[in-house]
Amino acid sequence: LSLGSAITVDLLTSFEAIQSSSFILFKDGGVAACGQNNFGQLGNESNEDVLRTIVTIPDSTPIRSLGVGPSALSAFFVNIAGDIYATGLNDRGQLGTGDTTNRNALTKIDISSTGASAEQISA
């Protein structure tokens, strides 16, 4: 996937939106995003609003599921290994990182103590 590529429906798995930001999950597990990014919710290691960007995925492990909410400024991602990542607003600890620091890059959420992995996520 490149930023100059045409995005056609046959390449998509899902499309999600939050307030003024949008996410596209592609069949290959890549994610593109666009829009408002004031809390880093696009996950592109920036806080600048963008017309189109590729979400930086840790270890390049394909993403299986997106979790976003219409009133949220945070986004959640599940990769094919069942790992959960979060990015964006975290002023009340809503990312599950154990602190209240906003994130502008996908940050792994440690659920190892539960012995579980994620299949889907909802925000």
Side-chain angles (χ1 to χ4, degrees):
L1 178 69
S2 73
L3 293 179
S5 302
I7 298 174
T8 59
V9 174
D10 61 320
L11 298 175
L12 305 180
T13 297
S14 66
F15 176 85
E16 301 286 340
I18 56 177
Q19 282 191 351
S20 298
S21 308
S22 301
F23 299 85
I24 300 169
L25 176 59
F26 293 94
K27 289 182 179 176
D28 69 358
V31 179
C34 61
Q36 186 176 9
N37 197 29
N38 52 325
F39 295 104
Q41 60 266 40
L42 298 182
N44 66 342
E45 302 177 355
S46 164
N47 287 64
E48 300 295 320
D49 298 350
V50 294
L51 297 177
R52 187 193 279 182
T53 188
I54 302 299
V55 176
T56 305
I57 301 172
D59 302 323
S60 299
T61 303
I63 298 298
R64 162 179 46 211
S65 179
L66 302 173
V68 299
S71 63
L73 294 170
S74 307
F76 297 85
F77 306 77
V78 178
N79 69 16
I80 61 172
D83 299 321
I84 301 170
Y85 292 87
T87 189
L89 182 66
N90 195 33
D91 63 336
R92 293 187 170 88
Q94 59 266 48
L95 296 182
T97 55
D99 58 35
T100 56
T101 302
N102 298 336
R103 300 295 200 288
N104 66 9
L106 272 60
T107 302
K108 188 173 181 179
I109 307 304
D110 184 11
I111 60 169
S112 61
S113 64
T114 68
S117 66
E119 293 294 321
Q120 292 184 331
I121 196 157
S122 177

